[in-house]
Amino acid sequence: MNLTHPYCDADGDKLREECGIFGVVGARDAASMVALGLHALQHRGQEAVGITSFDGQESYSRRGIGHVAANFSDASALAELPGDMAAGHVRYSTTGGSGLRNVQPLYADLASGGFAIAHNGNISNAVALRRDLVGKGSIFQSTSDTEVIIHLVATSRYPTLLDRFVDALRMVEGAYSLICMTPAGMIACRDPLGIRPLVLGKLGESVIFASESVALDVVGADLIRTVDPGELIEVDREGKITSHRPFGTPAPRPCIFEHVYFSRPDSIVDGRSVYEVRKAIGQQLAIESPVEADLVVPVPDSGVPAAIGFAAQSGIPFELGIIRSHYVGRTFIQPSDGARNADVRRKHNANRALVAGKRIVLIDDSIVRGTTSLKIVQMMRDAGAAEVHFRVASPPTEHSCFYGVDTPERSKLLAARMDVAAMADFIIADSLAFVSIDGLYRAVGEAQRRSGAPQYCDACFTGDYPTRLTDLAERTNPAQLSLLAEKVA
């Protein structure tokens, strides 16, 4: 099965995170704990799942297409993964395609021993690195950018695996959170800007790494802290933790969209409650773009916290004017364009008795292509809404992400093609407004966005990319490249 993100439409009209990772050292039946942790991270990737374990002598791997439950719900599957150390991964494909050969963790044998690696993020110079490695004789088994790291480690001339790992990462551009499992223990690392998230937890004597704190909650572990940007943490088989900082201390730029949409609302990201941040975004929306209306209605489920905040700030009642079915996925048979166009109605249904004759404020987290927003507004009108006003809990998404988020090319982003007034006409809303970039920063606890040195990666809104984009530059025409260079600079 290949189901969508809980909030994702069949036509790809939502941004998708690409991966979630979870690793544990020093736990009886470590693979079972990893499977449980991956359940909590399922929203970060529903295309495929893999777990690799180590029992002190041998490594064992199991991978599958689809959800965690479809591959690791029975005891026999987990019995194939013995050991007190394990790492797992759920994925959507960004760099590389679908198929089992790209399912992580990826494993490799070196002269000094084998290691498995699970990666959340995207390497923006993977094509250039791969070309160089192939030219020197490397043979790739997958199309995943993660395998580039494996070959860089394998070809490094440093004597220890840790030093080889650091040497490899110094050549990598882009965003990553990594778990590397070796016979000696586990290495976890976050990219120098901290674009992709990673947290450290403990359960008894077991040490755990996860993409989000909610995965620690689910396994009963305590959140110790966030892994710092550029930090590399080494954990041996006895649970001893050693922190390294081989990349200096550049100003961090964590992904602000984790707060807007990607992370579960019950997670803590960079020390802040995602749920409280999303409510604060809704409050900012109500302050910046008030409207006279009868009801505040979230687009389920992603718009709920922001809608609660908007209602609290505006005094307009919050109501569930749209009911979502939790049992419709991409695998639903779609024999015709008509059936495909009805997908929103299978997933969402207007609470007709509530919305008829009412002025509605719809709250959603983002507008990508705009097709889903159009269908939702039309649904409200068909249900008899007198007015439909649309408020968005993020700034306009005008630029593609190259750091591990599955976004359409820029020409397909509605905000890249239209101004706000034209977008309102496109989705047939009576009015449309987005939270400002400074309003978003206020919601995450900053006074405003610092011009020239922003506190977060917000490139999907501003085009201000925090790293070089080597692979993109190679396939971009000179005029576009000049503009991109100005943005990156």
Side-chain angles (χ1 to χ4, degrees):
M1 297 174 70
N2 185 14
L3 302 179
T4 62
H5 187 292
Y7 317 139
C8 188
D9 304 282
D11 59 359
D13 195 28
K14 284 288 184 183
L15 302 182
R16 299 189 311 188
E17 243 284 14
E18 81 305 333
C19 297
I21 57 177
F22 189 99
V24 58
V25 181
R28 177 186 289 184
D29 300 323
S32 296
M33 185 183 293
V34 170
L36 186 57
L38 292 178
H39 273 289
L41 300 174
Q42 188 74 85
H43 59 289
R44 299 185 75 90
Q46 299 185 38
E47 179 182 282
V49 57
I51 297 176
T52 298
S53 68
F54 183 72
D55 66 359
Q57 300 294 326
E58 298 288 340
S59 292
Y60 307 86
S61 293
R62 182 181 174 93
R63 302 177 179 87
I65 302 299
H67 283 192
V68 178
N71 291 280
F72 295 103
S73 59
D74 60 82
S76 62
L78 292 168
E80 298 177 12
L81 300 167
D84 63 354
M85 181 168 63
H89 186 270
V90 288
R91 83 184 294 261
Y92 282 120
S93 60
T94 51
T95 299
S98 303
L100 279 175
R101 67 175 177 158
N102 288 321
V103 179
Q104 300 180 36
L106 298 182
Y107 182 85
D109 270 315
L110 303 181
S112 57
F115 71 101
I117 188 167
H119 168 214
N120 167 217
N122 199 61
I123 299 171
S124 58
N125 63 335
V127 173
L129 289 172
R130 184 186 183 105
R131 183 174 59 240
D132 183 61
L133 286 162
V134 169
K136 294 176 180 177
S138 293
I139 300 173
F140 282 75
Q141 302 298 315
S142 75
T143 57
S144 170
D145 60 342
T146 307
E147 193 179 356
V148 169
I149 299 174
I150 291 177
H151 285 274
L152 291 174
V153 172
T155 56
S156 172
R157 295 181 179 274
Y158 281 85
T160 70
L161 182 59
L162 181 66
D163 288 337
R164 287 182 171 199
F165 197 57
V166 171
D167 184 40
L169 294 180
R170 290 189 191 281
M171 291 182 270
V172 165
E173 298 171 5
Y176 54 83
S177 288
L178 294 167
I179 293 173
C180 178
M181 193 167 66
T182 78
M186 188 170 283
I187 301 168
C189 186
R190 196 173 174 200
D191 64 76
L193 297 180
I195 298 174
R196 299 264 63 85
L198 192 64
V199 296
L200 167 67
K202 291 198 74 176
L203 177 60
E205 298 302 312
S206 303
V207 178
I208 303 170
F209 297 99
S211 291
E212 289 184 40
S213 66
V214 66
L216 303 178
D217 297 338
V218 168
V219 302
D222 295 322
L223 172 63
I224 303 302
R225 63 179 177 88
T226 298
V227 176
D228 290 335
E231 183 181 17
L232 188 151
I233 298 178
E234 192 178 11
V235 184
D236 67 19
R237 297 294 304 282
E238 285 69 48
K240 179 184 176 182
I241 299 174
T242 305
S243 175
H244 307 272
R245 298 180 185 271
F247 308 113
T249 56
R253 294 278 299 272
C255 173
I256 201 166
F257 220 94
E258 290 286 346
H259 290 288
V260 173
Y261 176 70
F262 296 137
S263 295
R264 270 181 45 164
D266 45 346
S267 279
I268 305 295
V269 173
D270 293 319
R272 295 185 173 94
S273 160
V274 174
Y275 179 77
E276 292 298 331
V277 168
R278 289 177 186 169
K279 284 203 305 180
I281 296 173
Q283 291 172 327
Q284 286 293 322
L285 259 177
I287 292 168
E288 295 177 355
S289 303
V291 61
E292 292 187 6
D294 302 307
L295 300 175
V296 174
V297 174
V299 177
D301 288 322
S302 56
V304 171
I308 293 172
F310 191 101
Q313 180 67 38
S314 66
I316 303 170
F318 170 95
E319 295 287 356
L320 296 179
I322 301 171
I323 307 300
R324 185 173 81 87
S325 170
H326 292 256
Y327 306 103
V328 177
R330 186 175 293 176
T331 52
F332 192 96
I333 297 171
Q334 296 177 325
S336 66
D337 288 342
R340 182 177 296 276
N341 290 336
D343 182 70
V344 167
R345 293 185 182 274
R346 290 194 300 271
K347 280 191 163 185
H348 301 103
N349 190 50
N351 192 346
R352 186 177 295 270
L354 182 70
V355 305
K358 301 292 188 2
R359 297 170 298 173
I360 305 299
V361 184
L362 285 174
I363 309 290
D364 205 357
D365 63 276
S366 61
I367 293 179
V368 182
R369 299 172 189 262
T371 52
T372 298
S373 302
L374 168 62
K375 294 169 187 176
I376 292 290
V377 173
Q378 186 63 60
M379 181 194 304
M380 291 290 98
R381 296 198 182 281
D382 291 345
E387 297 176 10
V388 183
H389 302 273
F390 212 104
R391 296 293 181 267
V392 184
S394 63
T397 303
E398 297 186 42
H399 303 270
S400 297
C401 176
F402 301 99
Y403 301 119
V405 178
D406 186 12
T407 54
E409 59 188 64
R410 191 173 186 222
S411 63
K412 296 180 180 178
L413 295 171
L414 194 66
R417 299 187 289 114
M418 301 180 184
D419 62 19
V420 174
M423 293 173 72
D425 290 340
F426 179 86
I427 67 171
I428 60 171
D430 290 285
S431 70
L432 170 66
F434 298 79
V435 73
S436 68
I437 190 70
D438 282 339
L440 178 58
Y441 271 74
R442 284 191 290 272
V444 297
E446 304 288 348
Q448 62 182 23
R449 181 184 190 268
R450 290 198 301 263
S451 178
Q455 304 91 314
Y456 286 86
C457 178
D458 53 24
C460 53
F461 306 131
T462 64
D464 185 354
Y465 295 99
T467 74
R468 290 177 56 84
L469 302 172
T470 297
D471 292 343
L472 177 67
E474 288 189 359
R475 64 175 187 267
T476 305
N477 68 46
Q480 291 174 313
L481 181 57
S482 176
L483 179 61
L484 179 64
E486 293 176 10
K487 289 287 188 181
V488 174

